[in-house]
mmCIF file of all heavy atoms in Angstrom:
data_model
loop_
_atom_site.group_PDB
_atom_site.id
_atom_site.type_symbol
_atom_site.label_atom_id
_atom_site.label_comp_id
_atom_site.label_asym_id
_atom_site.label_seq_id
_atom_site.Cartn_x
_atom_site.Cartn_y
_atom_site.Cartn_z
ATOM 1 N N THR A 193 -31.593 -18.691 74.835
ATOM 2 C CA THR A 193 -32.762 -18.181 73.995
ATOM 3 C C THR A 193 -32.288 -17.410 72.666
ATOM 4 O O THR A 193 -33.049 -17.238 71.833
ATOM 5 C CB THR A 193 -33.693 -17.351 74.736
ATOM 6 O OG1 THR A 193 -33.105 -16.168 75.256
ATOM 7 C CG2 THR A 193 -34.310 -18.248 75.898
ATOM 8 N N ASP A 194 -31.071 -16.808 72.726
ATOM 9 C CA ASP A 194 -30.548 -16.111 71.614
ATOM 10 C C ASP A 194 -29.000 -16.279 71.660
ATOM 11 O O ASP A 194 -28.339 -15.703 72.603
ATOM 12 C CB ASP A 194 -30.962 -14.644 71.681
ATOM 13 C CG ASP A 194 -30.487 -13.886 70.550
ATOM 14 O OD1 ASP A 194 -29.525 -14.350 69.753
ATOM 15 O OD2 ASP A 194 -30.790 -12.687 70.524
ATOM 16 N N PRO A 195 -28.428 -17.006 70.685
ATOM 17 C CA PRO A 195 -26.964 -17.269 70.764
ATOM 18 C C PRO A 195 -26.261 -15.937 70.535
ATOM 19 O O PRO A 195 -25.114 -15.796 70.810
ATOM 20 C CB PRO A 195 -26.734 -18.221 69.681
ATOM 21 C CG PRO A 195 -27.771 -18.115 68.769
ATOM 22 C CD PRO A 195 -29.054 -17.726 69.588
ATOM 23 N N GLY A 196 -26.927 -14.891 70.033
ATOM 24 C CA GLY A 196 -26.322 -13.560 69.891
ATOM 25 C C GLY A 196 -25.593 -13.410 68.666
ATOM 26 O O GLY A 196 -25.685 -14.210 67.724
ATOM 27 N N LYS A 197 -24.807 -12.379 68.575
ATOM 28 C CA LYS A 197 -24.086 -11.933 67.414
ATOM 29 C C LYS A 197 -22.795 -11.420 67.756
ATOM 30 O O LYS A 197 -22.638 -10.744 68.845
ATOM 31 C CB LYS A 197 -24.870 -11.012 66.495
ATOM 32 C CG LYS A 197 -26.181 -11.403 66.139
ATOM 33 C CD LYS A 197 -26.247 -12.075 64.829
ATOM 34 C CE LYS A 197 -27.570 -12.311 64.241
ATOM 35 N NZ LYS A 197 -28.259 -13.490 64.847
ATOM 36 N N PRO A 198 -21.747 -11.526 66.895
ATOM 37 C CA PRO A 198 -20.549 -10.743 67.263
ATOM 38 C C PRO A 198 -20.864 -9.258 66.737
ATOM 39 O O PRO A 198 -21.794 -9.016 65.951
ATOM 40 C CB PRO A 198 -19.526 -11.349 66.257
ATOM 41 C CG PRO A 198 -20.268 -12.024 65.208
ATOM 42 C CD PRO A 198 -21.622 -12.457 65.820
ATOM 43 N N VAL A 199 -20.101 -8.301 67.367
ATOM 44 C CA VAL A 199 -20.363 -6.939 67.107
ATOM 45 C C VAL A 199 -19.123 -6.329 66.450
ATOM 46 O O VAL A 199 -17.940 -6.658 66.846
ATOM 47 C CB VAL A 199 -20.643 -6.205 68.438
ATOM 48 C CG1 VAL A 199 -20.785 -4.755 68.254
ATOM 49 C CG2 VAL A 199 -21.874 -6.787 69.122
ATOM 50 N N ALA A 200 -19.343 -5.638 65.320
ATOM 51 C CA ALA A 200 -18.162 -4.997 64.637
ATOM 52 C C ALA A 200 -17.550 -3.913 65.456
ATOM 53 O O ALA A 200 -18.090 -3.509 66.555
ATOM 54 C CB ALA A 200 -18.698 -4.397 63.338
ATOM 55 N N ALA A 201 -16.421 -3.339 65.004
ATOM 56 C CA ALA A 201 -15.691 -2.391 65.728
ATOM 57 C C ALA A 201 -16.676 -1.139 65.961
ATOM 58 O O ALA A 201 -17.360 -0.661 65.097
ATOM 59 C CB ALA A 201 -14.502 -1.910 64.866
ATOM 60 N N PRO A 202 -16.712 -0.649 67.199
ATOM 61 C CA PRO A 202 -17.624 0.373 67.591
ATOM 62 C C PRO A 202 -17.166 1.688 67.237
ATOM 63 O O PRO A 202 -16.028 1.935 66.945
ATOM 64 C CB PRO A 202 -17.800 0.172 69.097
ATOM 65 C CG PRO A 202 -16.477 -0.317 69.534
ATOM 66 C CD PRO A 202 -16.027 -1.203 68.327
ATOM 67 N N LYS A 203 -18.055 2.585 67.327
ATOM 68 C CA LYS A 203 -17.826 4.069 67.234
ATOM 69 C C LYS A 203 -18.383 4.856 68.477
ATOM 70 O O LYS A 203 -19.346 4.386 69.000
ATOM 71 C CB LYS A 203 -18.499 4.658 66.014
ATOM 72 C CG LYS A 203 -18.073 4.001 64.729
ATOM 73 C CD LYS A 203 -16.783 4.591 64.242
ATOM 74 C CE LYS A 203 -16.471 3.984 62.792
ATOM 75 N NZ LYS A 203 -15.159 4.478 62.345
ATOM 76 N N ASN A 204 -17.720 5.852 68.813
ATOM 77 C CA ASN A 204 -18.157 6.725 69.938
ATOM 78 C C ASN A 204 -18.948 7.908 69.255
ATOM 79 O O ASN A 204 -18.359 8.536 68.332
ATOM 80 C CB ASN A 204 -17.011 7.238 70.801
ATOM 81 C CG ASN A 204 -16.618 6.297 71.767
ATOM 82 O OD1 ASN A 204 -17.304 5.333 72.039
ATOM 83 N ND2 ASN A 204 -15.364 6.508 72.308
ATOM 84 N N VAL A 205 -20.092 8.241 69.715
ATOM 85 C CA VAL A 205 -20.836 9.409 69.239
ATOM 86 C C VAL A 205 -21.066 10.349 70.383
ATOM 87 O O VAL A 205 -21.571 10.008 71.421
ATOM 88 C CB VAL A 205 -22.176 8.915 68.627
ATOM 89 C CG1 VAL A 205 -22.931 10.185 68.142
ATOM 90 C CG2 VAL A 205 -21.978 7.924 67.460
ATOM 91 N N SER A 206 -20.645 11.607 70.176
ATOM 92 C CA SER A 206 -20.713 12.598 71.266
ATOM 93 C C SER A 206 -21.028 13.928 70.546
ATOM 94 O O SER A 206 -21.075 14.122 69.414
ATOM 95 C CB SER A 206 -19.472 12.701 72.118
ATOM 96 O OG SER A 206 -18.385 13.246 71.333
ATOM 97 N N ALA A 207 -21.164 14.888 71.433
ATOM 98 C CA ALA A 207 -21.392 16.264 70.902
ATOM 99 C C ALA A 207 -20.183 16.767 70.069
ATOM 100 O O ALA A 207 -20.313 17.636 69.233
ATOM 101 C CB ALA A 207 -21.683 17.247 72.053
ATOM 102 N N ARG A 208 -19.028 16.192 70.242
ATOM 103 C CA ARG A 208 -17.838 16.624 69.525
ATOM 104 C C ARG A 208 -17.733 15.862 68.280
ATOM 105 O O ARG A 208 -16.839 16.178 67.477
ATOM 106 C CB ARG A 208 -16.649 16.355 70.422
ATOM 107 C CG ARG A 208 -16.581 17.184 71.655
ATOM 108 C CD ARG A 208 -15.280 16.847 72.359
ATOM 109 N NE ARG A 208 -15.413 15.501 72.878
ATOM 110 C CZ ARG A 208 -15.220 15.002 74.064
ATOM 111 N NH1 ARG A 208 -14.934 15.795 75.006
ATOM 112 N NH2 ARG A 208 -15.415 13.688 74.408
ATOM 113 N N GLY A 209 -18.606 14.850 67.979
ATOM 114 C CA GLY A 209 -18.534 14.059 66.775
ATOM 115 C C GLY A 209 -18.422 12.647 66.834
ATOM 116 O O GLY A 209 -18.799 12.175 67.968
ATOM 117 N N VAL A 210 -17.915 11.954 65.915
ATOM 118 C CA VAL A 210 -17.776 10.540 65.891
ATOM 119 C C VAL A 210 -16.301 10.191 65.877
ATOM 120 O O VAL A 210 -15.599 10.735 65.112
ATOM 121 C CB VAL A 210 -18.573 9.943 64.627
ATOM 122 C CG1 VAL A 210 -18.397 8.333 64.600
ATOM 123 C CG2 VAL A 210 -20.019 10.301 64.629
ATOM 124 N N SER A 211 -15.938 9.146 66.685
ATOM 125 C CA SER A 211 -14.629 8.635 66.659
ATOM 126 C C SER A 211 -14.605 7.166 66.834
ATOM 127 O O SER A 211 -15.664 6.531 67.209
ATOM 128 C CB SER A 211 -13.792 9.403 67.827
ATOM 129 O OG SER A 211 -14.422 8.974 69.051
ATOM 130 N N ASP A 212 -13.472 6.524 66.460
ATOM 131 C CA ASP A 212 -13.291 5.160 66.580
ATOM 132 C C ASP A 212 -13.203 4.813 68.106
ATOM 133 O O ASP A 212 -12.619 5.589 68.927
ATOM 134 C CB ASP A 212 -12.096 4.615 65.919
ATOM 135 C CG ASP A 212 -12.201 4.682 64.431
ATOM 136 O OD1 ASP A 212 -13.355 4.487 63.943
ATOM 137 O OD2 ASP A 212 -11.239 4.766 63.807
ATOM 138 N N ARG A 213 -13.750 3.639 68.482
ATOM 139 C CA ARG A 213 -13.627 3.150 69.888
ATOM 140 C C ARG A 213 -12.597 1.980 69.819
ATOM 141 O O ARG A 213 -13.133 0.841 69.521
ATOM 142 C CB ARG A 213 -15.049 2.733 70.353
ATOM 143 C CG ARG A 213 -14.990 2.034 71.683
ATOM 144 C CD ARG A 213 -14.615 2.994 72.840
ATOM 145 N NE ARG A 213 -14.828 2.301 74.142
ATOM 146 C CZ ARG A 213 -13.777 1.685 74.811
ATOM 147 N NH1 ARG A 213 -12.602 1.690 74.370
ATOM 148 N NH2 ARG A 213 -14.024 1.085 75.978
ATOM 149 N N ALA A 214 -11.434 2.237 70.046
ATOM 150 C CA ALA A 214 -10.418 1.245 70.013
ATOM 151 C C ALA A 214 -10.145 0.730 71.402
ATOM 152 O O ALA A 214 -10.550 1.262 72.328
ATOM 153 C CB ALA A 214 -9.100 1.746 69.370
ATOM 154 N N GLY A 215 -9.414 -0.439 71.414
ATOM 155 C CA GLY A 215 -8.993 -0.914 72.694
ATOM 156 C C GLY A 215 -9.434 -2.379 72.773
ATOM 157 O O GLY A 215 -10.334 -2.936 72.236
ATOM 158 N N SER A 216 -8.678 -3.117 73.759
ATOM 159 C CA SER A 216 -8.900 -4.539 73.894
ATOM 160 C C SER A 216 -10.130 -4.794 74.769
ATOM 161 O O SER A 216 -10.584 -5.927 74.822
ATOM 162 C CB SER A 216 -7.669 -5.141 74.551
ATOM 163 O OG SER A 216 -7.436 -4.555 75.857
ATOM 164 N N ASP A 217 -10.657 -3.810 75.402
ATOM 165 C CA ASP A 217 -11.831 -4.027 76.276
ATOM 166 C C ASP A 217 -13.188 -3.736 75.687
ATOM 167 O O ASP A 217 -14.239 -3.611 76.289
ATOM 168 C CB ASP A 217 -11.683 -3.138 77.499
ATOM 169 C CG ASP A 217 -11.823 -1.652 77.126
ATOM 170 O OD1 ASP A 217 -11.485 -1.261 76.082
ATOM 171 O OD2 ASP A 217 -11.985 -0.864 78.131
#
Side-chain angles (χ1 to χ4, degrees):
T193 60
D194 181 352
K197 304 272 187 281
V199 177
K203 300 283 186 184
N204 281 342
V205 179
S206 70
R208 293 179 299 230
V210 178
S211 62
D212 289 334
R213 170 70 171 97
S216 61
D217 65 340

